Amino acid sequence: MTLETQKKTASAWFKSLQTEICNEFEKLEAEADPALYSGEPGKFVFTDWERAGATNGKSNGGGRGGMLKGRLFEKAGVHFSQVSGEFTPEMQSMIPGASEDPRFWATGISLIAHHVNPRIPAVHMNTRYIVTSRDWFGGGADLTPTLAVDRADDAPDALAFHAGMEAACTGANAKAAGVDYQEYREWCDRYFFLPHRDEPRGTGGIFYDRHNSGDWQADFAFTQDVGRGFIDTYVPIVRARMNQKWTEAERAEQLEIRGRYVEFNLLYDRGTTFGLKTGGNVKTILSSMPPVVTWG
């Protein structure tokens, strides 16, 4: 398989994954109990965008942003992108292969979901394929329960989420790609940590970057398993929780924990930095910000 075929194949998959996830989230919206959630079920609104400028007369790509503001999902963003261009001198020293050649190409999907109901954990997931003079996959998924009772390591949602991610990291594709589940789980715990508060952002999941085993087909198949595994794991968690009643005190706790989310994304998240410094779409990059937040 040529590099150009690999790029087209990965991009098409990420685009199809966006559609599949959006469809699943809209189903949850439709199933939500109208006695708890007022209004009509929400639908995704999609916006196509183009990356500014051109390289050698060719488009620098763009993407398709999907935003849902509904009765169950207070705010959910599921975004696809395929972009290219050249890294700035500052970025060249930070990205593998960019010092040899500043040109890059990247495609992927990223999502964040914040719910009205504080009993439902927030979630983040992304998978991506990046090409410089080298190429690799990266991504992961992590869970952020917003109530203290659900943030314990042995809380049911945390256990279910970890089981789903472990399944994606221990199947035949993952083994062929040389994946070490424990490494990716611990990497997630280190990455999604707020040093200034000395606390984790949530209950973890998996995180991986710059993954190239030398077997592109295996690496791609593993990344697909992460995307499918996310759907198979997170959707049942939401479905089991979404018709539970909540209190105003729980809602207040949720809003304060959301503040931690903002702090991490603006202070430490490499994906946010990468997107902003490479001319990405600001609206989709910052759509991870929760709609209502408080700080304690």
Side-chain angles (χ1 to χ4, degrees), residues 32-86:
D33 186 352
L36 291 176
Y37 304 96
S38 60
E40 294 297 315
K43 295 286 187 179
F44 274 93
V45 176
F46 297 100
T47 304
D48 294 328
W49 59 274
E50 291 187 5
R51 187 170 182 270
T55 301
N56 298 325
K58 295 182 179 179
S59 168
N60 280 337
R64 185 188 193 219
M67 291 299 303
L68 169 62
K69 296 181 180 179
R71 57 182 186 174
L72 173 67
F73 289 88
E74 192 167 10
K75 182 182 182 183
V78 184
H79 309 303
F80 162 80
S81 64
Q82 178 191 306
V83 298
S84 59
E86 293 189 4

Side-chain angles (χ1 to χ4, degrees), residues 21-22 24-30 32 37 42 44 68-78 111-117 120-121 123 234-235 238 242 258 291:
I21 292 172
C22 290
E24 291 297 327
F25 281 9
E26 287 186 351
K27 288 179 185 176
L28 292 170
E29 270 284 316
Y37 304 96
F44 274 93
L68 169 62
K69 296 181 180 179
R71 57 182 186 174
L72 173 67
F73 289 88
E74 192 167 10
K75 182 182 182 183
V78 184
L111 73 82
I112 177 66
H114 299 286
H115 297 268
V116 171
N117 189 337
I120 307 172
V123 76
Y234 185 65
V235 169
V238 177
M242 66 185 187
R258 282 179 174 179

Side-chain angles (χ1 to χ4, degrees), residues 199-272:
E199 65 182 40
R201 187 174 80 170
T203 54
I206 60 168
F207 181 86
Y208 64 103
D209 198 11
R210 301 173 185 176
H211 181 94
N212 184 335
S213 70
D215 184 339
W216 189 89
Q217 292 280 18
D219 295 345
F220 178 47
F222 160 64
T223 295
Q224 290 176 290
D225 286 347
V226 172
R228 297 189 190 100
F230 167 79
I231 296 173
D232 293 342
T233 302
Y234 185 65
V235 169
I237 289 174
V238 177
R239 186 167 279 121
R241 287 280 199 166
M242 66 185 187
N243 290 331
Q244 296 178 4
K245 296 180 179 179
W246 66 92
T247 68
E248 287 302 315
E250 289 172 334
R251 174 68 172 173
E253 183 179 354
Q254 175 196 46
L255 300 187
E256 186 170 335
I257 292 300
R258 282 179 174 179
R260 309 292 206 266
Y261 218 96
V262 173
E263 292 170 12
F264 180 86
N265 279 24
L266 296 183
L267 292 173
Y268 306 114
D269 187 65
R270 292 208 310 251
T272 301

Side-chain angles (χ1 to χ4, degrees), residues 137-186:
F137 288 94
D142 65 289
L143 197 71
T144 304
T146 57
L147 301 181
V149 68
D150 298 322
R151 292 198 294 273
D153 290 341
D154 60 351
D157 291 345
L159 293 175
F161 195 79
H162 282 299
M165 293 301 99
E166 181 175 10
C169 293
T170 54
N173 293 324
K175 290 178 181 178
V179 172
D180 183 330
Y181 166 66
Q182 195 61 34
E183 176 188 354
Y184 286 179
R185 175 170 176 164
E186 292 173 1

